[in-house]
């Protein structure tokens, strides 16, 4: 919460790592509730199965503009609106896209994402090569001043990455703080025992 509430761009991202099933997504959903109470907005996207940057940007667009995204609008128009909301660099296509953007008068709250926190979940399940993905995310942090939180099973990331040195180098550039979520098995077991309505089940759990 301290990181997300910083007044100035921190110029680094935060990594929350942990094995599958340790509760990373549960943790981040509770954090989002806390951020909402502090009037800090966020965009939370799962990268599971995503294979292109366009898919990431379309998911951002869907969350920012649910009404507009429900209409069958041309891809160039959607990208043009994304350019104004998330300051995404459109590169060589920018001139073409600019000429195709209609005069849509978006309300200010849809144009200004200055205080948004970008949350990228399921990093290891993304179909984009990890170094390309982190380079893309780094643009939001380094050039646009966004606060970014990454959630990943780092063991799986390293297993997928053929060149660990490349991952470590770009991680060092992008990630400023890393936290690891470790499940509290004893506390969970005590809860299961207390909630069990069957004496037989309680006995089996207590024996573990």
């Amino acid at each position: 919460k301290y990181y997300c509430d910083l007044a100035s761009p921190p110029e680094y991202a935060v990594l929350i790592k942990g094995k599958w099933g340790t509760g990373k997504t549960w943790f981040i959903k509770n954090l989002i509730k806390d951020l909402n109470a502090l009037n800090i907005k966020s965009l939370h996207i799962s990268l599971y199965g995503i294979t292109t940057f366009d898919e990431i940007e379309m998911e951002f667009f869907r969350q920012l503009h649910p009404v507009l995204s429900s209409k069958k609008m041309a891809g160039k128009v959607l990208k043009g609106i994304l350019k104004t909301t998330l300051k995404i660099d459109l590169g060589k296509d920018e001139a073409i896209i600019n000429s195709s953007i209609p005069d849509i008068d978006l309300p200010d709250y849809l144009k200004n994402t200055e205080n948004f926190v970008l949350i990228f979940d399921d990093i290891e399940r993304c179909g984009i090569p990890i170094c390309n993905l982190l380079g893309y995310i780094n643009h939001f942090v380094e050039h646009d001043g966004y606060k970014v939180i990454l959630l990943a099973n780092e063991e799986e990331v390293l297993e997928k990455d053929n060149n660990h040195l490349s991952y470590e180098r770009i991680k060092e550039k992008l990630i400023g703080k890393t936290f690891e979520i470790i499940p509290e098995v004893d506390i969970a077991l005590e809860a299961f025992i207390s909630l069990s309505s069957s004496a037989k089940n309680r006995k089996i759990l207590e024996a573990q």
Side-chain angles (χ1 to χ4, degrees):
K1 285 189 284 185
Y2 167 79
Y3 168 81
C4 295
D5 200 30
L6 286 172
S8 301
E11 299 184 353
Y12 66 85
V14 169
L15 171 64
I16 299 175
K17 68 178 185 177
K19 294 182 179 180
W20 289 333
T22 54
K24 297 186 298 298
T25 300
W26 178 87
F27 173 85
I28 207 67
K29 286 182 177 179
N30 281 279
L31 175 64
I32 289 171
K33 291 178 183 177
D34 291 341
L35 295 181
N36 288 339
L38 295 172
N39 202 30
I40 300 173
K41 297 180 180 179
S42 60
L43 295 172
H44 178 202
I45 177 172
S46 170
L47 299 177
Y48 188 14
I50 283 182
T51 57
T52 67
F53 298 134
D54 280 349
E55 291 177 75
I56 296 175
E57 291 162 13
M58 287 303 104
E59 177 58 23
F60 281 147
F61 181 84
R62 187 190 66 78
Q63 292 186 35
L64 284 166
H65 312 291
V67 175
L68 289 176
S69 63
S70 66
K71 299 178 180 179
K72 295 181 179 179
M73 301 178 69
K76 290 180 180 179
V77 173
L78 298 183
K79 278 198 169 186
I81 299 173
L82 277 168
K83 176 177 176 288
T84 64
T85 54
L86 279 172
K87 298 177 283 187
I88 290 171
D89 184 4
L90 303 174
K92 63 182 180 181
D93 295 330
E94 185 163 339
I96 298 173
I97 292 169
N98 283 342
S99 66
S100 350
I101 302 173
D103 184 16
I104 299 176
D105 186 19
L106 295 175
D108 288 340
Y109 75 92
L110 289 181
K111 294 178 183 177
N112 181 14
T113 59
E114 183 178 353
N115 294 320
F116 276 70
V117 177
L118 306 183
I119 303 170
F120 296 89
D121 204 343
D122 296 312
I123 295 288
E124 74 282 356
R125 290 185 167 109
C126 186
I128 301 171
I130 186 63
C131 289
N132 294 350
L133 175 64
L134 294 185
Y136 171 82
I137 292 173
N138 183 65
H139 184 89
F140 291 107
V141 175
E142 185 175 354
H143 299 286
D144 295 331
Y146 281 97
K147 297 158 189 170
V148 171
I149 299 175
L150 312 178
L151 282 79
N153 180 340
E154 195 170 42
E155 292 179 5
E156 295 295 325
V157 171
L158 291 170
E159 188 174 315
K160 286 176 62 177
D161 181 33
N162 294 324
N163 189 344
H164 293 179
L165 290 177
S166 295
Y167 168 70
E168 292 296 339
R169 278 197 295 267
I170 196 165
K171 176 188 172 184
E172 183 179 355
K173 176 180 174 62
L174 173 63
I175 307 297
K177 298 289 183 182
T178 299
F179 299 96
E180 182 173 8
I181 291 186
I182 300 173
E184 297 180 295
V185 178
D186 292 342
I187 294 176
L189 187 57
E190 290 174 6
F192 293 150
I193 293 172
S194 65
L195 293 172
S196 177
S197 59
S198 165
K200 181 180 178 181
N201 288 345
R202 285 198 299 273
K203 187 174 181 180
I204 292 171
L205 290 170
E206 286 169 352
Q208 303 302 313

